[in-house]
Amino acid sequence: MEHLTSVDQLDTNILDIIFRAADRCRGMRFKSYPLSHPGRVVANLFYEPSTRTAASFHVAALRLGASVFTVDDVKFSSMAKGETLEDTIRVIGSYVDAIVLRHPDDDAAERAAQVSSVPVINAGCGTREHPTQAILDMYTIQREYGTTPPPTVGLMGDLRNGRTVHSLVKLLRLYDAKIRYISPGELQMPISLKRGGEISFSDLGAILDRLDVLYMTRMQRERMHAGLLDGCNYGLTPMMLKQHGKPNLVIMHPLPRCEELPVEIDWDPRAAYFRQAENGLYVRMALLSRALS
Ligand code: NCD
């Protein structure tokens, strides 16, 4: 049984297998998908808000011929009565063939995996990890830019609280990418996740012209105290992009976006974030297919 709780489980060989499987799912996009897992059931347990992750896992399961059982309103689950995550997972695991879990606690996926009788896929837990997002991000970088020679990647935004960047840095290092951090002082990448040679900036203008990939994230307001962002002004503007962005820059964002990424940029061919979101479907089909096999 194969749980996916952390990117620490991955290496470039496994990623390559997942990427090629995702390519095959993409290739079938406008044809009919062969139903590879009819009769299987996936539980989508979302104890934190989600649009893309929940929807893409749900549709991925349907496209593979599996059915989906969803819990996305904690008010109506036994968690509201004080049931532990472990008890919920034990029981749901006895009903379904795979569990997709989003949860506010950093260690929720590991705890779930310890007691589950079926594969658990971490769909974003706390601020620590979001492995499936990191896999689709790396897949997008490989498709849009390539990995040889290694790209220079700027990770920008709320690097302290954003779980997508906490997972993505580890995958970028597998491909020897040069990593640059751009964030307000209070929201820097935690020291424990930084490595030597990875340089931090507080101003995008100081590094934009040297980036091959700009990975933007929103301020995680729900995870910080009020007032922290007062006077903090950061983001990409069409003018900065015009003046400093390389012609083949790849602009990414896990979405949802806020003021840091104005809609005017959507029309620029370098804006890859909607292609990135679409890639999420193919990558999650590949991941679910592995879990259900
Ligand atoms: C991210 C998340 O939930 O961590 N969204 C996503 O899964 N695409 C990013 C975010 O919420 O900012």
Side-chain angles (χ1 to χ4, degrees), residues 205-246:
I207 179 72
L208 181 56
D209 60 358
R210 278 166 282 160
L211 298 181
D212 301 310
V213 177
L214 172 62
Y215 187 96
M216 307 187 67
T217 63
R218 73 183 169 93
M219 294 293 159
Q220 308 267 313
R221 286 189 165 77
E222 71 278 27
R223 302 187 202 277
M224 60 178 74
H225 63 79
L228 182 71
L229 294 176
D230 289 354
C232 162
N233 180 18
Y234 95 103
L236 180 65
T237 63
M239 185 55 82
M240 287 168 79
L241 185 58
K242 189 164 179 232
Q243 289 179 340
H244 304 292
K246 284 190 183 179

Coordinates of all heavy atoms in Angstrom, one line a residue, residues 205-246:
G205 N 11.9 43.4 -7.9 CA 12.6 44.2 -8.9 C 14.1 43.8 -8.9 O 14.8 44.0 -9.9
A206 N 14.7 43.4 -7.7 CA 16.1 43.2 -7.6 C 16.5 41.9 -8.3 O 17.7 41.6 -8.5 CB 16.5 43.2 -6.1
I207 N 15.6 41.0 -8.6 CA 16.0 39.7 -9.1 C 15.2 39.2 -10.3 O 15.6 38.3 -11.1 CB 15.8 38.6 -7.9 CG1 16.2 37.2 -8.3 CG2 14.4 38.6 -7.3 CD1 17.6 37.0 -8.6
L208 N 14.0 39.9 -10.6 CA 13.1 39.4 -11.7 C 13.8 39.2 -13.0 O 13.6 38.1 -13.7 CB 12.0 40.5 -11.9 CG 10.9 40.1 -12.9 CD1 10.3 38.8 -12.6 CD2 9.8 41.2 -13.0
D209 N 14.8 40.0 -13.4 CA 15.4 39.8 -14.7 C 16.3 38.6 -14.8 O 16.7 38.2 -15.9 CB 16.2 41.1 -15.2 CG 17.3 41.5 -14.2 OD1 17.4 40.8 -13.1 OD2 18.0 42.5 -14.4
R210 N 16.6 37.9 -13.7 CA 17.4 36.7 -13.7 C 16.6 35.5 -13.5 O 17.1 34.4 -13.5 CB 18.5 36.8 -12.6 CG 19.7 37.7 -13.1 CD 20.6 38.0 -11.9 NE 20.0 39.2 -11.2 CZ 20.3 39.5 -9.9 NH1 21.2 38.8 -9.3 NH2 19.8 40.5 -9.3
L211 N 15.3 35.6 -13.4 CA 14.4 34.4 -13.1 C 13.9 33.7 -14.4 O 13.6 34.4 -15.3 CB 13.2 34.8 -12.3 CG 13.5 35.4 -10.9 CD1 12.1 35.7 -10.2 CD2 14.3 34.4 -10.1
D212 N 14.0 32.4 -14.4 CA 13.3 31.6 -15.5 C 11.9 31.3 -15.1 O 11.0 31.1 -15.9 CB 14.1 30.3 -15.7 CG 15.6 30.6 -16.1 OD1 15.8 31.4 -17.0 OD2 16.5 30.0 -15.4
V213 N 11.7 31.1 -13.8 CA 10.3 30.8 -13.3 C 10.1 31.7 -12.1 O 10.9 31.8 -11.2 CB 10.2 29.3 -12.8 CG1 8.9 29.0 -12.2 CG2 10.6 28.3 -14.0
L214 N 8.9 32.3 -12.1 CA 8.5 33.1 -10.9 C 7.2 32.4 -10.4 O 6.2 32.3 -11.0 CB 8.1 34.5 -11.3 CG 7.4 35.4 -10.2 CD1 8.4 35.5 -9.1 CD2 7.0 36.7 -10.8
Y215 N 7.4 31.8 -9.1 CA 6.3 31.1 -8.5 C 5.7 32.0 -7.4 O 6.4 32.2 -6.4 CB 6.9 29.8 -7.9 CG 5.8 28.9 -7.3 CD1 5.3 27.8 -8.1 CD2 5.3 29.0 -6.1 CE1 4.3 27.0 -7.6 CE2 4.3 28.2 -5.6 CZ 3.8 27.2 -6.3 OH 2.8 26.3 -5.9
M216 N 4.5 32.5 -7.7 CA 3.9 33.5 -6.7 C 3.0 32.8 -5.8 O 2.4 31.8 -6.1 CB 3.2 34.5 -7.5 CG 4.0 35.2 -8.6 SD 3.2 36.5 -9.4 CE 3.1 37.7 -8.0
T217 N 2.8 33.3 -4.6 CA 1.8 32.8 -3.6 C 1.1 34.0 -3.0 O 1.7 35.1 -2.9 CB 2.5 31.9 -2.5 OG1 3.3 32.7 -1.8 CG2 3.2 30.8 -3.1
R218 N -0.1 33.7 -2.5 CA -0.8 34.7 -1.8 C -0.4 34.8 -0.3 O 0.2 33.9 0.2 CB -2.3 34.5 -1.9 CG -2.8 33.4 -1.0 CD -4.2 33.0 -1.1 NE -4.4 31.8 -0.3 CZ -4.8 31.7 1.0 NH1 -5.0 32.8 1.6 NH2 -4.9 30.5 1.5
M219 N -0.7 36.0 0.3 CA -0.5 36.1 1.7 C -1.6 35.2 2.4 O -2.8 35.3 2.1 CB -0.7 37.6 2.2 CG 0.3 38.5 1.6 SD 1.9 38.1 2.3 CE 3.0 38.8 1.1
Q220 N -1.1 34.3 3.3 CA -2.0 33.4 4.0 C -2.7 34.1 5.2 O -2.3 33.8 6.3 CB -1.3 32.1 4.4 CG -0.5 31.5 3.3 CD -1.2 30.4 2.6 OE1 -1.8 29.5 3.2 NE2 -1.2 30.4 1.3
R221 N -3.6 35.0 4.9 CA -4.1 35.9 6.0 C -4.8 35.1 7.1 O -4.7 35.5 8.3 CB -5.2 36.8 5.4 CG -4.5 37.9 4.6 CD -5.5 39.0 4.2 NE -4.8 40.2 3.7 CZ -4.2 40.3 2.5 NH1 -4.3 39.3 1.7 NH2 -3.6 41.4 2.2
E222 N -5.3 33.9 6.8 CA -6.0 33.1 7.8 C -5.0 32.5 8.7 O -5.4 31.9 9.8 CB -6.9 32.0 7.1 CG -6.1 30.9 6.4 CD -5.7 31.2 5.0 OE1 -5.4 32.3 4.7 OE2 -5.5 30.2 4.2
R223 N -3.7 32.5 8.4 CA -2.7 31.9 9.3 C -1.8 33.0 9.9 O -0.7 32.7 10.4 CB -1.8 31.0 8.5 CG -2.6 29.8 7.8 CD -1.6 28.8 7.1 NE -2.3 28.1 6.1 CZ -3.0 27.0 6.3 NH1 -3.2 26.6 7.5 NH2 -3.6 26.4 5.2
M224 N -2.2 34.3 9.9 CA -1.3 35.3 10.5 C -2.2 36.3 11.3 O -3.4 36.3 11.1 CB -0.5 36.0 9.5 CG -1.3 36.7 8.4 SD -0.3 37.6 7.2 CE 0.3 36.3 6.2
H225 N -1.5 37.0 12.3 CA -2.3 37.9 13.1 C -2.6 39.2 12.3 O -1.9 39.6 11.4 CB -1.6 38.2 14.4 CG -0.3 38.9 14.2 ND1 -0.1 40.3 14.0 CD2 1.0 38.4 14.3 CE1 1.1 40.6 13.9 NE2 1.9 39.5 14.0
A226 N -3.8 39.8 12.6 CA -4.2 41.0 11.9 C -3.2 42.1 12.1 O -2.5 42.2 13.1 CB -5.6 41.5 12.6
G227 N -3.0 42.9 11.0 CA -2.1 44.0 11.1 C -0.7 43.7 10.6 O 0.1 44.6 10.3
L228 N -0.3 42.4 10.5 CA 1.0 42.0 10.1 C 1.3 42.6 8.7 O 2.5 42.9 8.4 CB 1.2 40.5 10.1 CG 2.6 40.0 9.7 CD1 3.5 40.3 10.8 CD2 2.5 38.5 9.4
L229 N 0.3 42.7 7.9 CA 0.6 43.1 6.5 C 0.4 44.6 6.3 O 0.6 45.1 5.2 CB -0.3 42.3 5.5 CG -0.1 40.8 5.5 CD1 -1.1 40.2 4.6 CD2 1.3 40.6 5.0
D230 N 0.1 45.3 7.4 CA -0.1 46.8 7.2 C 1.1 47.4 6.5 O 2.3 47.2 7.0 CB -0.3 47.4 8.6 CG -1.7 47.0 9.1 OD1 -2.5 46.4 8.3 OD2 -2.0 47.4 10.2
G231 N 0.9 48.2 5.5 CA 2.0 48.9 4.8 C 2.8 48.0 3.9 O 3.8 48.4 3.4
C232 N 2.5 46.7 3.8 CA 3.3 45.8 3.0 C 2.7 45.8 1.6 O 1.5 45.5 1.4 CB 3.2 44.5 3.7 SG 3.7 43.1 2.7
N233 N 3.5 46.1 0.7 CA 3.0 46.2 -0.7 C 3.9 45.4 -1.6 O 5.1 45.7 -1.7 CB 3.1 47.7 -1.1 CG 2.6 47.9 -2.5 OD1 1.9 47.1 -3.1 ND2 3.0 49.1 -3.1
Y234 N 3.4 44.3 -2.1 CA 4.3 43.4 -2.9 C 3.4 42.8 -4.0 O 2.2 42.7 -3.8 CB 4.9 42.4 -2.0 CG 4.2 41.1 -2.0 CD1 4.7 40.0 -2.8 CD2 3.0 40.9 -1.3 CE1 4.0 38.8 -2.8 CE2 2.3 39.8 -1.3 CZ 2.8 38.7 -2.1 OH 2.1 37.5 -2.1
G235 N 4.0 42.4 -5.0 CA 3.3 41.8 -6.1 C 4.0 42.0 -7.4 O 5.0 42.7 -7.5
L236 N 3.4 41.5 -8.5 CA 3.9 41.7 -9.8 C 3.0 42.6 -10.5 O 1.8 42.5 -10.4 CB 3.9 40.3 -10.6 CG 4.4 40.3 -12.0 CD1 5.9 40.6 -12.1 CD2 4.2 38.9 -12.6
T237 N 3.5 43.6 -11.3 CA 2.7 44.5 -12.0 C 3.0 44.3 -13.5 O 4.1 43.9 -13.9 CB 3.0 46.0 -11.7 OG1 4.3 46.3 -12.0 CG2 2.8 46.3 -10.2
P238 N 2.1 44.6 -14.4 CA 2.3 44.5 -15.8 C 3.6 45.3 -16.2 O 4.4 44.9 -17.1 CB 1.1 45.1 -16.5 CG 0.0 44.9 -15.5 CD 0.7 45.0 -14.1
M239 N 3.8 46.5 -15.6 CA 5.0 47.3 -15.9 C 6.3 46.6 -15.6 O 7.2 46.5 -16.4 CB 4.9 48.6 -15.2 CG 5.9 49.6 -15.6 SD 6.0 49.9 -17.4 CE 4.7 51.1 -17.6
M240 N 6.3 46.0 -14.4 CA 7.5 45.3 -13.9 C 7.8 44.1 -14.9 O 9.0 43.8 -15.3 CB 7.3 44.7 -12.5 CG 7.4 45.6 -11.4 SD 6.8 44.8 -9.9 CE 8.2 43.9 -9.4
L241 N 6.7 43.4 -15.3 CA 6.9 42.3 -16.2 C 7.5 42.7 -17.5 O 8.4 42.1 -18.1 CB 5.5 41.6 -16.3 CG 5.5 40.3 -17.1 CD1 6.4 39.3 -16.5 CD2 4.1 39.8 -17.2
K242 N 6.9 43.9 -18.0 CA 7.4 44.4 -19.3 C 8.8 44.8 -19.3 O 9.6 44.5 -20.2 CB 6.5 45.6 -19.6 CG 6.7 46.1 -21.0 CD 5.5 47.1 -21.4 CE 5.8 47.6 -22.8 NZ 5.7 48.9 -22.9
Q243 N 9.2 45.4 -18.2 CA 10.6 46.0 -18.1 C 11.6 44.9 -17.7 O 12.8 45.0 -18.2 CB 10.6 47.1 -17.1 CG 9.9 48.3 -17.6 CD 9.9 49.5 -16.5 OE1 10.1 49.3 -15.3 NE2 9.7 50.7 -17.0
H244 N 11.3 44.0 -16.8 CA 12.3 43.1 -16.3 C 12.1 41.6 -16.5 O 13.0 40.8 -16.3 CB 12.4 43.3 -14.8 CG 12.6 44.7 -14.3 ND1 13.8 45.4 -14.6 CD2 11.9 45.6 -13.7 CE1 13.8 46.6 -14.1 NE2 12.6 46.8 -13.6
G245 N 10.9 41.2 -17.0 CA 10.7 39.8 -17.2 C 11.4 39.2 -18.4 O 11.3 39.8 -19.5
K246 N 12.0 38.1 -18.3 CA 12.6 37.4 -19.5 C 11.5 37.1 -20.5 O 10.4 36.8 -20.0 CB 13.4 36.1 -19.1 CG 14.7 36.3 -18.4 CD 15.4 35.0 -18.3 CE 16.7 35.0 -17.5 NZ 17.3 33.7 -17.4

